[in-house]
Amino acid sequence: MILDELHSGTEAAEGIAAQLLRSDLDEMMAVAEAMTLAGHGRRVTYSRKVFIPLTKLCRDVCHYCTFATTPARAGDAYLCAQDVLAIARAGVASGCREALFTLGDRPEGRYAPAREALQRLGHDSTLSYLAEMAQLVLRETGLLPHLNPGLMSAADYAMLRPHAASMGIMLESSADRLCERGGPHFGSPDKVPQRRLAAIEDAGRAKVPFTTGILIGIGETRAEQVDALVAIRDLHRRYGHIQEVIIQNFRAKADTKMMAHDEPPLEDHIWAIAAARLILGPEMTIQAPPNLHERADLAPLIRAGVNDWGGVSPVTPDHVNPEAPWPHLEILEHATRAAGRRLSQRLAIGPRHALAAKDWAHPEMAKRVLRLIDARGLPKPDEWAAGRGDPVPEPAGGDGSRTKGAVGAVLTKAESREALTESDIETLFDAEDEDLLAVLALADGLRQEAAGDTLTYAVNRNINYTNICLYRCGFCAFSKGSTRAMRGPAYRLDLTEVGRRAAEAWDRGATEVCLQGGIHPDYDGNTYLDVLRSVREAAPDIHIHAFSPLEVTHGARTLGLPLEDYLVRLKAAGLASLPGTAAEILDPEIREIICPDKVTADEWIEVMRVAHSVGLRSTATIMFGHVEGYRHWARHLLRIRALQDETGGFTEFVPLPFVHMESPIWQNGLARSGPSYREALLMHAVARIVLHPVISNIQVSWVKMGPEGAAAALKAGANDMGGTLMDESITRAAGGVNGQEFGPAEMRALAAAVGRSVRQRTTLYKPVQGRAAVSTQAL
C-alpha cells in the first residue's frame, strides 16, 4: 500500500479505513510527517486570541460538556456589550489579533430566560446578538472575530459574514449511533451528523473560511473517524472553504455523565492525526489543542501531522476545557522548537484564505485582512512600511550560522553555484530568525565577492515629463488618468523645460538624467525622439537614462516600427540606457490584476533583449509587496537571470518595495500594505544570491527603504545606493515621506553608517572622470 496516494484518490471511506487499519503506525507517521513538511515546511502556527463566551446556555446536553450550563447557574444569560469589550481590549493589550466567540447553540429554543434576555437586548435570536457584538469588537478594537455559534443556515452565514473573518463548527463525528440513547450526543438535536454536515456545506456555498474537526475517544471507532474525515475532505474538495481541521482528544470532566469514560491514549490521538493528514493532504492545516496533552506529548503530535496549535490566549482560559490551562507561549515555542519546527502567529483566517481574502471575505473584512498580512498570508510582525519613514524593527537574534534545515540546504546549493529552482527561491524568501540571518550573511559575502567593499551612487536628476497616462495600473498614484478624467493636478512639461532641467542638473554636478513619464494620449514615437534631442542640445555630455519598455513599445507601435529599428533611432538621438521600470512582477497571473493593459511580461523581456542587442544597457527592477506571493518573486528573478545569461545587458537589479499609502489598489482594499521589513531585506539578499555572479550590482532605494532600511540592505547583499534623484516624485505621489533628494553628503553618511568607503559612479558603473561629486542644494 502507498499511503501518500490516499489523498489524491477518490476511494470511499470504507476502502481507506481498511487500508489504514492494516497499516503500521510508524509508517503512517513517517508519510504524514513528510506530507506536512511538503505542505507547510517547518512552520507550526497558532492564533493569539481572546475567548469571549457570549453565552453558556445551550439547547444541547452533550454528555461530556462542562461549558453549557443552566439559567439558574449562569446568572446573566448573555455577556453585555461592556463585558465583551473589556475582554477584547484586554486581548489587544496583550498582543492578540483574534476574538473567538464561543457560545451555546440557540439557547432561546430551550430556555425562557434566554428569550427574555434577548428581548431586553433588542434581539430575537442569539445569532442576531452575536452579529452585533462581533461588529462592535471589530469596530472598536480591530480584533478579527471567529464565530463558533453552532448550527447555521445560509441566511445566518449571510448575516454574520460581514463581521467575521472566519467561522466554525466541529463535526465531531459522522456516526449517527452516537446520537442514540446512551450515546454522548443523545438529547442534543444540533449534534445529528447530517445537520452538521449540511451546515458545513452551507458555509462552503457562502464562501466562509471554515474550521471543523472531529472529537476522538467518545465511543466512535477508527473506521468512523475515517468516515468523518472523508466527509470533510469531500466537502472541501467541492467548495475549498475548510481552512483547518481540528483533531481533538476527549478529556473526561467532573460533573458530567462521561466523567468515568476512558480518555483516548496518546497513540489513538496520533493515529487519528496521521489519518487526517493522509486523507486531507499536505496543504490542509491540521490542528491539535496543545493544552490537552502533557508538554512531552507535543512532539509526537507534530510528527503525526499537526501544523497548528489553534487559538492560544494569554488573557482568557479555555472555556470549553477549563481544567486544562493553555501552555505559556514561551513554553509552547520551546516545545515546538524541540520538535524541529518553528512557531509562527497567524490570524483567525488561515494563510491560504487570507491571501485570497477578496474571494473569501466580505469586502470590508477583506480589506482589513489584506492590510495585516505579508506574502505568506501571516500577520506582518512589525509596523514598518516602505516609504513611510518608520523606524526599522530590531534585528532578529542569532549569529547567522548555517542551519541544517531546508534553508541551509538551499544556501549550500547556492554556494556551489548550482542553479536554484523556483521552489528553492521560495524557501529562501520564507526564512526567519537564524535562517534569515544565514541568508543575509551569504548575500553579504557574495556582495563582497562581486562588488567589493566600496559602495557606489550616481548624481542624477529625475525628469518625469508628464503624469497624464492612458493606462490604469492599480498600484500607481503618480498617473492622473487622461486629460478628461484626472485624479488631482496633472502636468505636461514642454520640451524647453525638459532641456532646462537637464542643463541645470549638469551644472549642479549630475552625470545622468532619468526620463520617464505617463503615456500621454498625444504622445507617439516622435515625442520620445524629440525629448532626447531637447536634452542632448541642452546638456550634450549628460548620460540619458530614459524610457521604460512601456514607453519604448508605445513609441514603436505608434510609428509602425519594429522594436529594433525604433531602439536604434532612440540610440542615435541620444538614448544611452534604459531604466528597468514597468517590470513590476514578470508573471501574467499578477499583471492581469495590477496592470492588465500594460506591456506583458514577455513584451518587457523582449524590449530588454532587443535593447541589449543594439548596444543599450539597462537596469532591472521588481515592485513587490502588493498582491503577489513568493513563487511570483522567484519566477521574476529567474526570468531576469535567464535574460542576463543570454545578453549580459543588465547593469543592476533594483528591488522596489510597494509604497501603499496612496495607491488606488490598496485604498480599494485589494492589496497588502507593502512587504514586511523582513521581506524587504530578503528581496535584496535573495536577489544577490539568485543573480550572482551574472549581475554584480544590487541597488537599494533610499526613497523606499529610508536611510536606516537602506543601511540594513547594504549589509544584506546590496552594494549600490542609487541616485541622488533631485526631483523624486513617483514615490512621493504614493505617500512616501523620504524626500526628493539624497545628496552626496547624505550618501557619504549612509556609507559611513555601515563602515564602508564610497565613490560616485556613472550610470554604467564607471568612475566619474573630470566631474567631482559635489554637494547639491534643494531646487
Side-chain angles (χ1 to χ4, degrees), residues 645-661:
D645 285 336
E646 178 186 339
T647 69
F650 291 123
T651 56
E652 64 198 15
F653 183 77
V654 190
L656 301 172
F658 174 52
V659 177
H660 69 276
M661 289 78 76

Side-chain angles (χ1 to χ4, degrees), residues 527-601:
T527 306
Y528 303 118
L529 293 167
D530 291 340
V531 168
L532 291 171
R533 295 185 186 108
S534 69
V535 173
R536 184 57 65 231
E537 290 171 3
D541 296 319
I542 205 161
H543 182 105
I544 303 178
H545 184 64
F547 311 140
S548 73
L550 175 61
E551 292 160 289
V552 172
T553 300
H554 178 74
R557 185 178 297 128
T558 55
L559 297 183
L561 293 174
L563 278 175
E564 183 174 356
D565 292 354
Y566 186 59
L567 282 162
V568 168
R569 288 193 187 188
L570 291 173
K571 184 179 178 183
L575 180 63
S577 61
L578 275 70
T581 49
E584 326 312 353
I585 298 291
L586 294 174
D587 187 275
E589 177 184 349
I590 300 304
R591 299 183 81 82
E592 184 62 30
I593 299 171
I594 64 172
C595 53
D597 56 351
K598 207 170 188 175
V599 288
T600 68

Side-chain angles (χ1 to χ4, degrees), residues 386-387 475-478 658-664 667 704 728-737:
F475 56 84
C476 182
F478 174 74
F658 174 52
V659 177
H660 69 276
M661 289 78 76
E662 299 296 329
S663 172
Q667 292 195 336
K704 308 287 198 283
E728 198 292 316
S729 56
I730 294 176
T731 299
R732 288 182 65 80
V737 300

Side-chain angles (χ1 to χ4, degrees), residues 83-103:
D83 290 343
V84 168
L85 276 181
I87 295 171
R89 286 171 175 152
V92 172
S94 295
C96 297
R97 296 176 182 267
E98 175 183 344
L100 168 60
F101 283 85
T102 183
L103 56 155

Side-chain angles (χ1 to χ4, degrees), residues 288-624:
N291 58 321
L292 302 185
H293 279 287
E294 298 296 326
R295 179 176 170 183
D297 294 341
L298 299 185
L301 301 183
I302 288 175
R303 289 197 299 274
V306 162
N307 69 288
D308 186 81
W309 294 128
V312 178
S313 179
V315 179
T316 52
D318 180 353
H319 291 282
V320 177
N321 298 284
E323 78 288 351
W326 295 111
H328 193 283
L329 286 173
E330 290 182 0
I331 295 174
L332 188 61
E333 181 169 7
H334 180 79
T336 304
R337 283 185 174 272
R341 306 296 173 87
R342 183 175 67 238
L343 190 66
S344 296
Q345 190 177 171
R346 61 165 172 84
L347 298 178
I349 179 172
R352 285 181 292 116
H353 292 86
L355 288 170
K358 66 183 181 65
D359 299 320
W360 286 102
H362 184 274
E364 286 303 311
M365 180 62 69
K367 180 186 293 188
R368 287 178 179 269
V369 169
L370 287 172
R371 290 181 175 184
L372 290 172
I373 61 174
D374 63 14
R376 302 170 297 184
L378 298 175
K380 293 175 72 172
D382 52 64
E383 299 299 320
W384 182 89
R388 203 166 59 186
D390 301 323
V392 301
E394 289 294 319
D399 59 6
S401 58
R402 186 65 49 83
T403 65
K404 296 180 180 180
V407 170
V410 175
L411 294 179
T412 299
K413 187 176 178 180
E415 281 183 316
S416 65
R417 300 292 191 270
E418 290 185 56
L420 299 185
T421 66
E422 181 181 313
S423 177
D424 290 335
I425 299 169
E426 285 187 78
T427 296
L428 295 183
F429 279 124
D430 198 31
E432 293 182 296
D433 302 328
E434 65 274 11
D435 286 344
L436 168 64
L437 295 178
V439 173
L440 303 186
L442 177 60
D444 195 46
L446 295 178
R447 181 271 313 157
Q448 202 282 332
E449 179 183 325
D453 289 324
T454 299
L455 303 176
T456 53
Y457 72 94
V459 177
N460 65 351
R461 182 175 196 170
N462 269 15
I463 303 178
N464 301 122
Y465 38 79
T466 184
N467 63 353
I468 299 169
C469 189
L470 290 168
Y471 292 85
R472 297 181 179 274
C473 301
F475 56 84
C476 182
F478 174 74
S479 163
K480 303 305 174 187
S482 73
T483 55
R484 293 175 298 280
M486 298 182 294
R487 299 192 308 271
Y491 69 85
R492 175 184 177 180
L493 302 182
D494 60 33
L495 295 178
T496 301
E497 177 61 16
V498 171
R500 187 196 70 77
R501 294 191 184 193
E504 185 178 54
W506 177 260
D507 291 342
R508 290 177 53 192
T511 60
E512 171 200 306
V513 286
C514 179
L515 298 159
Q516 296 183 96
I519 305 299
H520 193 286
D522 295 339
Y523 282 8
D524 64 13
N526 288 317
T527 306
Y528 303 118
L529 293 167
D530 291 340
V531 168
L532 291 171
R533 295 185 186 108
S534 69
V535 173
R536 184 57 65 231
E537 290 171 3
D541 296 319
I542 205 161
H543 182 105
I544 303 178
H545 184 64
F547 311 140
S548 73
L550 175 61
E551 292 160 289
V552 172
T553 300
H554 178 74
R557 185 178 297 128
T558 55
L559 297 183
L561 293 174
L563 278 175
E564 183 174 356
D565 292 354
Y566 186 59
L567 282 162
V568 168
R569 288 193 187 188
L570 291 173
K571 184 179 178 183
L575 180 63
S577 61
L578 275 70
T581 49
E584 326 312 353
I585 298 291
L586 294 174
D587 187 275
E589 177 184 349
I590 300 304
R591 299 183 81 82
E592 184 62 30
I593 299 171
I594 64 172
C595 53
D597 56 351
K598 207 170 188 175
V599 288
T600 68
D602 288 343
E603 287 171 335
W604 190 95
I605 290 288
E606 185 60 19
V607 170
M608 290 306 189
R609 177 182 287 112
V610 176
H612 297 169
S613 75
V614 301
L616 291 167
R617 304 291 297 279
S618 71
T619 63
T621 66
I622 184 171
M623 194 271 290
F624 64 103

Side-chain angles (χ1 to χ4, degrees), residues 123 150 166 170 184 209 243 399 431 498 592 763:
H123 291 273
S166 56
M170 289 287 284
Q243 63 173 8
D399 59 6
V498 171
E592 184 62 30
T763 306

